[in-house]
Structures are given as structure tokens and as C-alpha cells.
Amino acid sequence: MPVSMKDLDPAFHGARQKEGLEIWRIENFKPVPIPTYLYGKFFMGDSYIILKTTALKNGSLRHDIHYWIGKDTSQDEAGTAAVLTVELDAALGGRAVQYREVQGNETEKFLSYFRPCIMPQPGGVASGFKHVEVNEQEHVTHLYVTYARSSLNHDDIFILDTKSKIFQFNGSNSSIQERAKALEVVQYIKDTFHEGKCEVAAVEDGRLMADAEAGDFWGFFGGFAPLPRRAPVEDNENYEDTAFKLLCFNQGKLEPIDYESLVHELLETNMCFLLDCGAELFVWMGRTTSLQERKSASEAAEKLLSDNNRRKTHVIKVIEGFETVMFKSKFKEWPQTPDLKLSSEDGRGKVAGYYTKGKVAALLKRQGLNVKGLMKAAPAKEEPQAYIDCTGSLQVWRINDKDKMLLLSSDQSKFYSGDCYIFQYMYPGDDKDCCLIGTWFGKKSIEEDRVIAVSLASKMVESSKFQAVQTRLYEGKEPIQFFVIFQSFQVFKGGLSSGYRKFIAENGIDDDTYLEDGLALFRIQGSGPENMQAIQVDATTSSLNSSYSYILHDGNTVFTWTGNLTTTLDQELIERQLDVIKPNLQSRSQKEGSETDQFWSLLGGKSEYTSQKIGRENESDPHLFSCILPKGNLKIREIYHFAQDDLMTEDVYILDCHSDIFVWVGQQVDVKVRLQALDIGEKFLMLDCLMENLSSDTPIFIIMEGSEPTFFTRFFTWDSAKSLMHGNSYQRKLSIVKGGGSHTLDKPKQQTPAYSGRSIVQDKSQRSRSMSFSPEHVRVRGRSPAFTALAANFESASTRNLSTPPPVVKKLYPKSFTPDSSNAPSKSSATAVLTGLSDRPNYTTPKSVKDGSKLEKPTQEEDVKHGIDTMTSGVESFTINEDAKENEPEDDEGLPVYPYDRLKTTAAHPVTEIDVTRRETYLSSAEFKDKFGMTKEAFSKLPKWKKNRMKIALQLF
């Protein structure tokens, strides 16, 4: 399309290249920009062009052009607006979508720019009408339709604005959601025209005069009188069953095209086409068509609607290569990544070729068009944030024999590809307890185990009274929240469940279940110690990737391999994962390009492999949809420029972020529908309404109103008090608009958890779970990271293995309190620290669910039995149990007794060979009471966090 900026109206030169709105009014058939303070104020006798520019996450700009036609606008002026939108699109590089908006039948996308509403005013420029001037000193009472009783009906909602009060009249057939939305308009009128200082009254259709507010309302209409039933009006624009028609615009005429199936190949890049779908009329403009051809096609579309008196039909104009999802969905098939066909003169004659978007931009630039924003550089990729507290407690069950089996703490991060798991994570939220219950399906797990896992997890959610967030995850598609919950995560080949074992036996499948003394290769990945994974892959050379580190073992032979594209962080993670996979064996380091023959031999010989990093799926710009389920079929409606107030408590909504799907369920949704929430999410993935090629394995989160996690609310400007209000969505908003405040439910108080599987989490430098290391040396193994980190305080420099660098010790106290390591605190110091503990927010950890019917927490005895060490953040626990020396005195618990000065972490000669996590137990009863101010029995009854604070104050960690 050879177009120069000289061919375009000067008003469009330098059109917006940043986010926001820009509006022109048609005056004397020319576009005239209007000041920003008039945005949203439209006159019925005028036509307008509206440009909406949106910055996308990939760094590019998206343009949507709308032309609004007032009900009193002349046909000539409306046609001018339609043609000028083509010029504006050309000024922007020829990639915008153009929409025709008719007063009273605007698209929701258009209305979302002017929330809560637009209020067309009488008058106009080109029509000869005068704009209505309002005396700001006198408030004019008016109904926001024709001010007459005959305007009222039972189906709609009406707003009557008077000097001292705003009335909202709710037709008896209007819905709760419609009434709630109307209140947003009432709030706008109150704030805009009354400075927020007037009363608001709600009048229900049919309410008698005995009601004072109803009496006041009807007084403005000469008294109460029943409204007549409105006779049904024939709608000549009912297009539900209209057959699609494809027309080609050729030499100024529209020619119908016969086709058996509507396919993409019918469209030609050097032509313009009209696709008539009844309610929508699409104008498709080939990339190589001229500006004049596009203008003529737009005029032909306007004439077609005018000749057939189709006022309500929406016109959407799209450019080849930038079609809307709605347009593409009309075709039987549409290529996922269609090639952009262009014609170009390259000095060797006219040839048809396939061009990248970069070449399209270059071509348009040569034609003098503004291509700024078409090829903006994508922002640098950053590791996604989890938006979840990782100091909570975790329990994991494996599905086995139609039931769930609780895993030991040491095994809860070790999953098998042939098994299904249920996990429950309990953690403190901003103002209440939070619980996440999820299912994880291995790639080779059987369908029977998956069904059982979902059923049992759903029962757990029901037992929590739907206050827990539920998620369904597949191996390889886990979201960042999952990994930071587990922090150190391993996936092994094969499976341990009886269902999987039976399946491979019956089908004659080789059992490749991981064996500790067998041959295995693990790919190490993650962004840090708080998010790292070891994934078992095929033990072949082709599994290697220059961007990763690997662990290879065969019995007691252990190799580590680091690719040339890895970082020091990748090399640190491999050491940490060795502590889990092969904690007691030395490893032999292999760098890419200098491998030994034995290494290649274990992998079956050296061959080619790739260096393409396996990245996490990018999160795209989120889209919100409201959902209905007529006769079991999912129907959705997109909500543009959404906000928290769009979430109605009576409805179900889906937030599509491409990499994750959130199903939000209001508190007043029927229980039967709540139980179908996961099915709704599954159906949405199958529907793939945005044609994003969504995978059925995409993570789904089920979120109940009032229990929204931070990783959901971050997409909104969130006020948690709104979800705690009583009543339906209309009653809640009415309470706010009337100025009566928000009557909220009682918030659950937070208490100290009886069990916590995580310690306090500081910044990344303090989250280290394993010792740092020198990549130049083979690490001396045998000690767990937890032992090394904690024992470091009690080893002198002379006794530490000098070949191993000093460990990074994780701080177990908050930044606000750092004990002075030079002086041992006295009893009064410890008391002073404890005095401030009353300011600590208490929280109650939600009880875990057993068998879907009963809530329980693991007991202290179970923790000990399972080897749980709650002070090491889920890292492998340790306990040193050695016989007490015969010559040492023993306390009541049978433990040796040492003086306080030798039990301090800062002691010159600290006691060794004790359980370093229970230093206080080695004090005599008398000295214990002197230091802690209480008996050992009283101390044992304190919550764990308070015990830890007291020991910190006394430097006994």
C-alpha cells in the first residue's frame, strides 16, 4: 500500500505513540482534536473518532480505533468518520482494528474506556443543533432518558437526578448485576455533579407509596401509577441464525463469493472483502491494497447497512496479519502463525513473497508511514515472582490404592513421573490464614489415579468450607508458586503407586523407576536456592544442554557436568541438589568440552546435543471473562479494562494469563456450580477463546471469593474488605454509594501455628540452604547442608575442613532484631525482647485435611518420628544422638548438663557433640529458670516461634 503522510489528514500526523486516548470530532467533514477535559462527553448530533493505544507486555503498542455516530448525525458525516478511520490507521502503520459505534448500541470494549458510562448530550456542530448550555448555579432535574413516565418500564434501570437526591429505579425484571452496575453510574453522578454531597435512594418497581423514598420518586412524575406491560417489539435485527456471506469489493462493486467452507485461503492479499455475519460486518483489507481501495470498501460497508436499515450491526475493519480473534473464529480453520503475504518491488520485477514483521515495518517506513510501536523491543525477561509467602507448612500425599498416603518430611519433595500427588500448603496471608490444596500429575501417571487425586483434593477443599485455593498441575507445567513452596524439588522416572505398577505390568512396559544404585541423569534448573529442581531425564548424550548443569550417577560413581552457557548460580544449584540425590559421595566435575571417556561411556557415547534453554512460559496480558453454563455449555463474555468491582459475588469469572488460568467463584454462587469450578476451567482451555493455542496441561487455580491469594490479586487494585461484605453485589454497592460504609464480616483472627515447616525467609542472600563451594575443588561430602550451616557457629577455624569454604548461615531472626554477638544477653535483655512479641501478628495455620472429612495437624511426636526439623526450612533434618559421657552430670531428661557460657553460640570453647537445635535442654533446671524466667515445663508449652525468639535473645542457636 504505497501511502505517503501527505495523503493523510494533518490532524493525524504524530498520532499517539503512548498509552491513552485521543479523540477527534468531525467538524465540516474534517477531524478536529478535542481537549482532554471533554473526553467522554459526546453530542448526539456529532460523530467522533477515538484512538485507544495500549502498551503490551511484549513492548509493542496496540491501536484500536472507534468511530462513534450520534443518533442525530447525518449520513454524510457518519460516512466521513468511517473513511477517516482508514486514514488514521494508515498514519499508525496500517495495523489497527477499527470499530463502528452507534449511540445506544456501543461495544463493551468502547464503553470500557469511559467508565462508568458515557452520557450523550443533545446538540451538535455539523447537524446545526446547539449544544445545551446548563446554568451551573441551578441544578436541572432530569431522567437519563426522555424525562417522562412513559420512558419507565419493568425491564430496565433508570436514574433520576434531582437537586438534593439521586434516585435509581430498578425495573422488576432487571438483574442484580445490572442494578449493581447502575450504581456505579449513580456514584459517578454524585461525585461529578453533586461533589459527593447528596442522598441516594433506591426505588424498587412495584413498591407502594407507603415507602418514603418511592413516594418522593413518584412525586416527580405527578404521583404513583402502575407501569403498563410493554408490548413485545419485533426486532428486525435478530441475526442468530443468519448465514455468513462473503463479498469481494472489486472495482467499486460488491460481488458475492460462493464457497462450500469458509476458509482462510479465500482471502487475497490484493483485495478487500466483506464478511457479513449479521450482528457483525467485518471489512478485511489485504495488506497490498491501496488507501483509496480501503476507503471505498469502508464506504461500501456503510451503504450496505444504510440500505438495509441495519442500525445495530457492528462494523469491524481489520488489516491482513492483524485480524481479531473474533474474525478468525468465523473461519473453519485459521493458521496459528499465518505468513504475511506482501507484494514488493525489489528491482527485479513484482514478486510475491513472505515477509517477517520486521520487513513489514521496513516496507511501511519506506512508504513514509509511521511504524513507531510496530517493532518495539521486548522488555528484558525477568524471573517471575511467586507472590506467595514461603514460610508456611507443607504436607504431601501420594495416591496409592485409591487412597492417599502421607509422605515423610524427607520425601515430600521427591515426586515420580508415574504417580499423582496431593499437596497442602498452609501459610500466613496479609490479614488471615491461607491454604493452597493442589494435585500434581506426573507425565506417565494413569487416568484412574488422576481422577482419585482430584476427588480427594476436592473433598479437602469442601472440608475447608471452600476457603482453600485449589489448583491442578501437570508435570512440566508447574507455576513458579509451586516451586517456591517446595524450594528443592526432584522428579524421578517411574512410579511407586500400586496403580502405576499394575499398569506397566499389564501392558508389558519396561519399568524405568529410579534406583539409587542405578544409572541416572538429572537436569538441574531454577533461579536460586529458594526455587531449584532436579529433573531426571534419559541417560543419553542427547539429553544434555549447554545451558544447564547435570548430575550423572551410576552406583557410587557420580559426575557433575556444567554447560558452557551456565552461570555460577547454576553451578551452586548442582551442589545443593547433590546433597539430596547423592549426599554421601564425592563427585567428579566435568566441564563441557573437557569430559572424560568414562563420562561419555555412561551416556552411551558422545553425540550431538542442543544449547537451547528451556524457558518458563511467558505470562501474557491478562484477560477477564464472565462465565455462564446454559445446559452445561460454557459461554463467556470478555470484560475489558477490568477491575475488582467487575467480580460479582453471584457469578463465576476466569482470568486468563495464558501461562495460568484462574477461576474465581463468588460467595453467592450455588454450591453445585462451585463443585464444577475445575470443570469450568477445563472447558475454558478446550474453548481457547483467544486462539492462544492453550495447552490442556495449563495450570488451573480455583479461587473462592474472600480467599484470594496475592498471586491472583496482583492483577487488580485490590481491597480485601470488599469480599468480606454482606449481601449480594447490588446490596454491597448500595451500602457504599449511600455513604453508610461497608458492613463486613468478622475477619478471622490469626494465631500462632502449631506446626511450621519453614523458617523465616529473608532476602536471597540469606535463603541459602547449602554451603557455598569452590568449583575448582572436589567437595568433601558426608554432611548435610543443614548440619553444615548450623554447625558452622560451633566449629573453630582450626577444626573446620579448610578445603571447604565457610558455609553461608541462614539468619533465623528478623532484620529488626540482631543480637550483639560480643555480649551475652542477660535475663532482662531476653525479657525486653519478649515484651515486643505482643506486637507480632498472630495467625492460625489452617488445619490439614485427612480423608476429606476431618481436620488435623501433625503432632510433635509425628514430627520427630518423620524426622521433621521445623527450624531448617524443610531441608534434610539432623539430630546428633550420642551417648552422654559417663563423667558428666545428667538433668531430668537424661541429658548431660553444661554451663551456660559453653552453650552460647559465641562461646570461646563451645560444647560439641550435642543436639545443636536443643541447646536449652542441656542447662540445669536452676540455670534454665534463671536465664529464661520460667521452668522447662512451662517453656515446652510455648509456641515454637516464641521459643525461637527467646533462644535468639540468649544466643542459644
Side-chain angles (χ1 to χ4, degrees), residues 126 175 254 322 344 367 448 516 601 623 633 710 865 878 916:
S175 67
L254 288 176
F322 299 94
S344 174
Q367 295 171 352
E448 181 182 0
E516 290 187 6
S601 177
H623 297 262
N633 296 320
T710 309
K865 178 181 178 182
F878 68 94
V916 294

PDB file of all heavy atoms in Angstrom, residues 126 175 254 322 344 367 448 516 601 623 633 710 865 878 916:
ATOM      1  N   ALA A 126     -22.098  19.814  13.274  1.00  0.00           N
ATOM      2  CA  ALA A 126     -22.446  19.700  11.856  1.00  0.00           C
ATOM      3  C   ALA A 126     -23.947  19.624  11.645  1.00  0.00           C
ATOM      4  O   ALA A 126     -24.455  20.017  10.610  1.00  0.00           O
ATOM      5  CB  ALA A 126     -21.777  18.465  11.264  1.00  0.00           C
ATOM      6  N   SER A 175     -31.748  -7.488  36.491  1.00  0.00           N
ATOM      7  CA  SER A 175     -30.969  -8.439  37.283  1.00  0.00           C
ATOM      8  C   SER A 175     -30.169  -7.726  38.366  1.00  0.00           C
ATOM      9  O   SER A 175     -29.983  -6.503  38.336  1.00  0.00           O
ATOM     10  CB  SER A 175     -30.006  -9.211  36.380  1.00  0.00           C
ATOM     11  OG  SER A 175     -29.008  -8.342  35.855  1.00  0.00           O
ATOM     12  N   LEU A 254     -19.569  -4.655  -4.901  1.00  0.00           N
ATOM     13  CA  LEU A 254     -19.539  -5.807  -4.012  1.00  0.00           C
ATOM     14  C   LEU A 254     -20.024  -7.038  -4.760  1.00  0.00           C
ATOM     15  O   LEU A 254     -21.138  -7.055  -5.284  1.00  0.00           O
ATOM     16  CB  LEU A 254     -20.413  -5.564  -2.774  1.00  0.00           C
ATOM     17  CG  LEU A 254     -19.891  -4.564  -1.746  1.00  0.00           C
ATOM     18  CD1 LEU A 254     -20.910  -4.354  -0.630  1.00  0.00           C
ATOM     19  CD2 LEU A 254     -18.557  -5.015  -1.155  1.00  0.00           C
ATOM     20  N   PHE A 322      -3.293  -8.712  11.113  1.00  0.00           N
ATOM     21  CA  PHE A 322      -3.652  -8.164  12.415  1.00  0.00           C
ATOM     22  C   PHE A 322      -5.139  -8.396  12.700  1.00  0.00           C
ATOM     23  O   PHE A 322      -5.811  -7.563  13.304  1.00  0.00           O
ATOM     24  CB  PHE A 322      -3.318  -6.673  12.481  1.00  0.00           C
ATOM     25  CG  PHE A 322      -1.861  -6.384  12.300  1.00  0.00           C
ATOM     26  CD1 PHE A 322      -1.342  -6.070  11.050  1.00  0.00           C
ATOM     27  CD2 PHE A 322      -0.982  -6.446  13.368  1.00  0.00           C
ATOM     28  CE1 PHE A 322      -0.002  -5.820  10.863  1.00  0.00           C
ATOM     29  CE2 PHE A 322       0.372  -6.195  13.203  1.00  0.00           C
ATOM     30  CZ  PHE A 322       0.862  -5.878  11.941  1.00  0.00           C
ATOM     31  N   SER A 344       6.151  -6.707  -3.349  1.00  0.00           N
ATOM     32  CA  SER A 344       7.199  -5.710  -3.185  1.00  0.00           C
ATOM     33  C   SER A 344       8.004  -5.589  -4.464  1.00  0.00           C
ATOM     34  O   SER A 344       8.228  -6.558  -5.169  1.00  0.00           O
ATOM     35  CB  SER A 344       8.128  -6.093  -2.032  1.00  0.00           C
ATOM     36  OG  SER A 344       9.214  -5.202  -1.956  1.00  0.00           O
ATOM     37  N   GLN A 367       7.487   3.689   2.736  1.00  0.00           N
ATOM     38  CA  GLN A 367       6.327   4.339   2.127  1.00  0.00           C
ATOM     39  C   GLN A 367       5.967   5.635   2.855  1.00  0.00           C
ATOM     40  O   GLN A 367       4.970   6.268   2.546  1.00  0.00           O
ATOM     41  CB  GLN A 367       5.132   3.388   2.156  1.00  0.00           C
ATOM     42  CG  GLN A 367       5.346   2.136   1.293  1.00  0.00           C
ATOM     43  CD  GLN A 367       4.262   1.118   1.492  1.00  0.00           C
ATOM     44  OE1 GLN A 367       3.414   1.251   2.379  1.00  0.00           O
ATOM     45  NE2 GLN A 367       4.253   0.080   0.674  1.00  0.00           N
ATOM     46  N   GLU A 448      -6.785 -43.267  36.185  1.00  0.00           N
ATOM     47  CA  GLU A 448      -7.501 -43.654  37.400  1.00  0.00           C
ATOM     48  C   GLU A 448      -6.946 -42.923  38.614  1.00  0.00           C
ATOM     49  O   GLU A 448      -7.702 -42.419  39.450  1.00  0.00           O
ATOM     50  CB  GLU A 448      -7.404 -45.165  37.610  1.00  0.00           C
ATOM     51  CG  GLU A 448      -8.144 -45.659  38.855  1.00  0.00           C
ATOM     52  CD  GLU A 448      -7.998 -47.152  39.071  1.00  0.00           C
ATOM     53  OE1 GLU A 448      -7.316 -47.813  38.250  1.00  0.00           O
ATOM     54  OE2 GLU A 448      -8.560 -47.664  40.058  1.00  0.00           O
ATOM     55  N   GLU A 516      18.541 -45.909  43.282  1.00  0.00           N
ATOM     56  CA  GLU A 516      19.656 -45.128  43.812  1.00  0.00           C
ATOM     57  C   GLU A 516      21.001 -45.673  43.355  1.00  0.00           C
ATOM     58  O   GLU A 516      21.958 -44.913  43.185  1.00  0.00           O
ATOM     59  CB  GLU A 516      19.597 -45.108  45.338  1.00  0.00           C
ATOM     60  CG  GLU A 516      18.446 -44.281  45.892  1.00  0.00           C
ATOM     61  CD  GLU A 516      18.521 -44.155  47.404  1.00  0.00           C
ATOM     62  OE1 GLU A 516      19.531 -44.614  47.985  1.00  0.00           O
ATOM     63  OE2 GLU A 516      17.574 -43.603  48.002  1.00  0.00           O
ATOM     64  N   SER A 601      31.029 -42.700  28.171  1.00  0.00           N
ATOM     65  CA  SER A 601      30.672 -44.114  28.122  1.00  0.00           C
ATOM     66  C   SER A 601      29.368 -44.390  28.865  1.00  0.00           C
ATOM     67  O   SER A 601      28.526 -45.166  28.404  1.00  0.00           O
ATOM     68  CB  SER A 601      31.811 -44.950  28.716  1.00  0.00           C
ATOM     69  OG  SER A 601      31.460 -46.324  28.753  1.00  0.00           O
ATOM     70  N   HIS A 623      -6.647 -11.451  30.570  1.00  0.00           N
ATOM     71  CA  HIS A 623      -7.994 -11.172  30.078  1.00  0.00           C
ATOM     72  C   HIS A 623      -8.990 -11.757  31.085  1.00  0.00           C
ATOM     73  O   HIS A 623      -8.816 -12.875  31.562  1.00  0.00           O
ATOM     74  CB  HIS A 623      -8.216 -11.803  28.707  1.00  0.00           C
ATOM     75  CG  HIS A 623      -7.318 -11.273  27.635  1.00  0.00           C
ATOM     76  ND1 HIS A 623      -7.714 -10.305  26.750  1.00  0.00           N
ATOM     77  CD2 HIS A 623      -6.040 -11.572  27.306  1.00  0.00           C
ATOM     78  CE1 HIS A 623      -6.719 -10.033  25.920  1.00  0.00           C
ATOM     79  NE2 HIS A 623      -5.689 -10.793  26.245  1.00  0.00           N
ATOM     80  N   ASN A 633     -23.152 -25.993  28.618  1.00  0.00           N
ATOM     81  CA  ASN A 633     -22.216 -25.416  27.659  1.00  0.00           C
ATOM     82  C   ASN A 633     -21.661 -24.113  28.211  1.00  0.00           C
ATOM     83  O   ASN A 633     -22.418 -23.262  28.687  1.00  0.00           O
ATOM     84  CB  ASN A 633     -22.911 -25.160  26.317  1.00  0.00           C
ATOM     85  CG  ASN A 633     -23.375 -26.442  25.664  1.00  0.00           C
ATOM     86  OD1 ASN A 633     -22.671 -27.455  25.696  1.00  0.00           O
ATOM     87  ND2 ASN A 633     -24.561 -26.412  25.083  1.00  0.00           N
ATOM     88  N   THR A 710      -2.375 -13.642  46.963  1.00  0.00           N
ATOM     89  CA  THR A 710      -1.690 -12.483  46.400  1.00  0.00           C
ATOM     90  C   THR A 710      -1.350 -12.684  44.936  1.00  0.00           C
ATOM     91  O   THR A 710      -1.358 -11.724  44.151  1.00  0.00           O
ATOM     92  CB  THR A 710      -0.403 -12.197  47.194  1.00  0.00           C
ATOM     93  OG1 THR A 710      -0.715 -12.139  48.581  1.00  0.00           O
ATOM     94  CG2 THR A 710       0.219 -10.884  46.781  1.00  0.00           C
ATOM     95  N   LYS A 865       9.079 -38.511  64.682  1.00  0.00           N
ATOM     96  CA  LYS A 865       9.098 -39.804  64.025  1.00  0.00           C
ATOM     97  C   LYS A 865       9.456 -39.679  62.557  1.00  0.00           C
ATOM     98  O   LYS A 865      10.187 -40.481  61.994  1.00  0.00           O
ATOM     99  CB  LYS A 865       7.731 -40.468  64.177  1.00  0.00           C
ATOM    100  CG  LYS A 865       7.634 -41.830  63.473  1.00  0.00           C
ATOM    101  CD  LYS A 865       6.249 -42.412  63.658  1.00  0.00           C
ATOM    102  CE  LYS A 865       6.125 -43.750  62.928  1.00  0.00           C
ATOM    103  NZ  LYS A 865       4.767 -44.322  63.062  1.00  0.00           N
ATOM    104  N   PHE A 878      18.555 -33.109  60.935  1.00  0.00           N
ATOM    105  CA  PHE A 878      19.571 -33.943  61.525  1.00  0.00           C
ATOM    106  C   PHE A 878      19.457 -33.883  63.030  1.00  0.00           C
ATOM    107  O   PHE A 878      18.999 -32.908  63.588  1.00  0.00           O
ATOM    108  CB  PHE A 878      20.976 -33.484  61.080  1.00  0.00           C
ATOM    109  CG  PHE A 878      21.345 -32.146  61.635  1.00  0.00           C
ATOM    110  CD1 PHE A 878      22.077 -32.051  62.813  1.00  0.00           C
ATOM    111  CD2 PHE A 878      20.926 -30.999  61.004  1.00  0.00           C
ATOM    112  CE1 PHE A 878      22.389 -30.808  63.316  1.00  0.00           C
ATOM    113  CE2 PHE A 878      21.248 -29.772  61.513  1.00  0.00           C
ATOM    114  CZ  PHE A 878      21.985 -29.662  62.680  1.00  0.00           C
ATOM    115  N   VAL A 916      22.431 -29.569  68.497  1.00  0.00           N
ATOM    116  CA  VAL A 916      22.579 -28.112  68.483  1.00  0.00           C
ATOM    117  C   VAL A 916      21.253 -27.390  68.356  1.00  0.00           C
ATOM    118  O   VAL A 916      21.181 -26.186  68.557  1.00  0.00           O
ATOM    119  CB  VAL A 916      23.521 -27.688  67.343  1.00  0.00           C
ATOM    120  CG1 VAL A 916      24.918 -28.193  67.589  1.00  0.00           C
ATOM    121  CG2 VAL A 916      22.995 -28.168  65.991  1.00  0.00           C
TER     122      VAL A 916
END
